[in-house]
């Protein structure tokens, strides 16, 4: 299925968020996720289903003021 | 200074953005003596490890992080960003920014108060980036904030303290609330002035990061903040309009 990851349309085979993160190369990266604008805590990723056209935001630590 | 039950030695909080290199950022943090640095969250692609490298650098410095909600323009955006930051940085602290105008980066104080209420109820320790408006400040305290961060001037301008009267009245109105001037500081003298007015700390980023020598400027700010705090504690003299000779007039020779 196609989902929008950080604004970019990508094809993923995983149907659960945690598996999709692995498939997209995040592995053990320190990131936070939001699906369709709603925060998904780390422990909930394994039970969070993905659907075609979902918008996934994957955010990492960054410099800030 | 104590914020949310934590004793903080340094009165200087430093942003981590816009430095020429990670090494210079690290040296600047050390030179500033800052114990709290601000950080953010941004998109990162799977193969990219910039965010992880940055986090490793900050973590190894042993400083406390204050994540921000920079760039958020709505309550929803700010609250979701804060939730994500809490998980990534493992802290309840959040520097809450809800921007209302893109030219001035002026806070949308109405949404700021609402976002602060939501986050305080959710267990966050909220550091609100606000204006010097006393009514908004009261509302933020009612929402659960226990520190206030009024702007000196718009973010990144380096204009210093645009409304000294407003900041002075804020200090007088909230004598027991930790007050941190956040944004607009361009020179160490601005920071010293804020401290002389009785503010508890200053938070700045661009003034150090964009200096020709960020490490030297970080050192300068550390001394300025300390000088301003010392001056305030030393109880400054009252200003007056007319001159008053400092050298004693008594005993002056008659030579005319």
């Amino acid at each position: 299925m196609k989902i929008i990851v950080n604004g970019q349309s990508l094809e993923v085979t995983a149907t659960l968020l945690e598996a999709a993160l692995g498939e997209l190369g995040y592995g053990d990266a320190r990131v936070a996720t939001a699906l369709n604008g709603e925060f998904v805590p780390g422990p909930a990723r394994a039970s969070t289903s993905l659907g075609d056209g979902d918008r996934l935001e994957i955010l990492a630590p960054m410099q800030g003021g | 200074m104590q914020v949310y039950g934590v004793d903080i030695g340094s009165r200087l909080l430093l942003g981590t953005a816009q430095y020429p290199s990670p090494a210079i950022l690290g040296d600047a943090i050390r030179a500033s003596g800052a114990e709290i640095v601000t950080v953010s969250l941004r998109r990162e692609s799977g193969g990219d490890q910039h965010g992880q490298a940055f986090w490793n650098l900050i973590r190894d410095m042993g400083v406390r992080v204050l994540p921000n909600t920079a760039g958020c323009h709505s309550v929803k955006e700010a609250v979701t960003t804060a939730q994500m930051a809490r998980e990534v940085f493992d802290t309840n602290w959040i520097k809450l920014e809800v921007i209302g105008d893109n030219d001035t980066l002026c806070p949308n104080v109405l949404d700021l108060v609402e976002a602060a209420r939501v986050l305080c109820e959710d267990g966050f320790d909220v550091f609100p980036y606000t204006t010097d408006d006393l009514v908004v400040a009261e509302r933020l305290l009612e929402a659960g904030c226990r520190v206030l961060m009024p702007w000196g001037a718009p973010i990144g301008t380096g204009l210093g303290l645009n409304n000294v009267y407003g900041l002075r009245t804020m200090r007088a109105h909230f004598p027991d609330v930790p007050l941190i001037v956040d944004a607009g500081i361009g020179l160490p003298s601005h920071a010293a002035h804020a401290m002389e007015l009785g503010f508890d700390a200053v938070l700045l980023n661009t003034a150090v990061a964009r200096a020709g020598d960020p490490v030297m400027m970080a050192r300068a700010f550390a001394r300025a903040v300390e000088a301003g705090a010392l001056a305030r504690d030393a109880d400054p003299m009252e200003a007056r309009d007319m001159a008053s000779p400092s050298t004693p007039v008594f005993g002056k020779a008659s030579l005319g």
Side-chain angles (χ1 to χ4, degrees):
Chain A
M1 82 185 118
K2 277 206 164 158
I3 60 173
I4 312 295
V5 180
N6 288 346
Q8 194 178 0
S9 181
L10 294 177
E11 187 75 33
V12 294
T13 57
T15 57
L16 294 173
L17 176 52
E18 186 164 274
L21 284 178
E23 187 180 329
L24 292 167
Y26 289 92
D28 296 329
R30 196 180 185 94
V31 294
T33 52
L35 189 62
N36 299 322
E38 300 295 332
F39 171 54
V40 181
R45 290 175 195 158
S47 57
T48 299
S49 299
L50 297 175
D52 202 45
D54 274 354
R55 291 178 296 111
L56 175 61
E57 292 287 335
I58 305 171
L59 304 186
M62 198 58 63
Q63 296 84 349
Chain B
M1 172 175 68
Q2 194 178 61
V3 283
Y4 290 108
V6 176
D7 289 316
I8 305 296
S10 172
R11 306 304 186 107
L12 178 58
L13 288 72
L14 195 63
T16 57
Q18 306 184 71
Y19 290 81
S21 71
I24 291 175
L25 165 62
D27 288 344
I29 292 173
R30 273 186 285 273
S32 74
E35 297 172 23
I36 300 172
V37 299
T38 52
V39 294
S40 190
L41 282 179
R42 285 293 181 266
R43 289 170 167 175
E44 182 168 89
S45 61
D48 201 346
Q49 293 294 311
H50 292 310
Q52 310 306 312
F54 167 70
W55 173 243
N56 291 341
L57 169 71
I58 296 301
R59 186 196 52 205
D60 292 347
M61 298 203 71
V63 290
R64 187 176 286 270
V65 295
L66 175 58
N68 68 28
T69 63
C72 291
H73 285 72
S74 69
V75 174
K76 173 87 168 69
E77 262 189 308
V79 168
T80 303
T81 301
Q83 291 169 331
M84 297 173 84
R86 176 161 63 179
E87 183 174 85
V88 165
F89 294 109
D90 195 23
T91 176
N92 286 333
W93 283 16
I94 191 74
K95 176 186 164 181
L96 181 60
E97 296 182 31
V98 185
I99 300 301
D101 178 76
N102 281 332
D103 283 336
T104 60
L105 299 180
C106 179
N108 176 336
V109 293
L110 305 178
D111 285 353
L112 177 71
V113 170
E114 175 59 14
R117 186 189 61 75
V118 172
L119 291 171
C120 288
E121 284 178 1
D122 192 22
F124 282 89
D125 295 330
V126 176
F127 294 65
Y129 162 65
T130 185
T131 66
D132 47 45
D133 188 305
L134 297 185
V135 179
V136 172
E138 290 277 14
R139 296 293 179 272
L140 288 167
L141 295 174
E142 288 168 10
C145 298
R146 287 190 278 145
V147 58
L148 297 170
M149 302 209 299
W151 63 353
I155 294 170
T157 61
L159 290 171
L161 308 184
N162 262 359
N163 183 5
V164 171
Y165 165 78
L167 293 172
R168 195 164 52 225
T169 53
M170 196 171 196
R171 179 69 286 175
H173 198 71
F174 302 106
D176 301 321
V177 177
L179 298 180
I180 300 170
V181 170
D182 175 15
I185 300 286
L187 290 167
S189 55
H190 300 154
H193 192 189
M195 299 305 293
E196 288 163 3
L197 290 174
F199 279 77
D200 295 280
V202 296
L203 196 169
L204 55 97
N205 188 154
T206 312
V208 168
R210 290 298 198 199
D213 186 334
V215 179
M216 192 184 297
M217 190 59 86
R219 197 175 302 125
F221 269 105
R223 293 180 184 179
V225 167
E226 187 182 355
L230 279 173
R232 175 199 56 214
D233 291 347
D235 189 14
M237 64 169 279
E238 293 279 345
R240 50 181 288 162
D241 289 330
M242 293 299 147
S244 172
S246 50
T247 301
V249 176
F250 178 75
K252 180 181 177 298
S254 179
L255 301 174

